[in-house]
Amino acid sequence: MKYLPGIKHILLPSLLCILSQKMVAQEEKMTVTQDPKFEQLLNEKRKINSSITINDRYKIQIFNGDSENSKKTLMDFKKDNKDMDATIVFSTPMYKVWVGNFKTRIEAEKNLNTLKKKYPNAFLIKPNK
């Protein structure tokens, strides 16, 4: 089928205009209602995320298990190691206690050797962003 030279210059803009009008009409009909608690939950999530330092640094995992024992492990760790970062990370279905924020693997391994005396199952990790 052959097209007339001027037809596509008329049809294409007309078609685009009709489509854009339909899209605008559809957008105008949409209403979103949000539960006020959603914003509260989102703010709590932001606070938690800001306290977790997941980056390209090395960490040491000293515990993996249930919520209560992870809290106990974290408290015990913080009593003995006031200068070292420590946090609980939830990864379904387990809670993990991560400590340290080491720039180099060598620095992390030195601390790992020390921590293994009290936490024999401790191991080195490098979380993804």
Side-chain angles (χ1 to χ4, degrees), residues 8-102:
K8 66 179 174 183
H9 295 293
I10 295 170
L11 287 179
L12 187 59
S14 299
L15 182 60
L16 290 174
C17 183
I18 291 168
L19 287 174
S20 67
Q21 286 176 351
K22 283 186 177 183
M23 289 172 67
V24 168
Q26 287 175 351
E27 288 174 15
E28 290 174 339
K29 291 179 185 177
M30 184 174 20
T31 56
V32 177
T33 55
Q34 179 177 304
D35 188 331
K37 290 182 181 179
F38 178 77
E39 196 62 38
Q40 290 174 331
L41 288 172
L42 195 55
N43 287 333
E44 287 299 315
K45 175 77 171 136
R46 286 181 184 132
K47 286 179 194 174
I48 291 168
N49 284 350
S50 67
S51 70
I52 299 173
T53 56
I54 298 178
N55 51 31
D56 61 347
R57 293 181 175 228
Y58 292 91
K59 301 191 180 308
I60 298 169
Q61 182 170 310
I62 61 170
F63 179 81
N64 183 35
D66 64 277
S67 175
E68 289 305 312
N69 285 320
S70 66
K71 290 175 187 173
K72 183 182 179 306
T73 302
L74 180 65
M75 297 296 271
D76 290 344
F77 177 82
K78 286 187 172 184
K79 284 181 199 172
D80 297 335
N81 303 282
K82 293 180 181 8
D83 297 334
M84 196 178 297
D85 292 337
T87 190
I88 295 174
V89 177
F90 179 70
S91 180
T92 306
M94 305 302 259
Y95 292 83
K96 301 171 181 189
V97 178
W98 288 355
V99 301
N101 195 19
F102 309 106

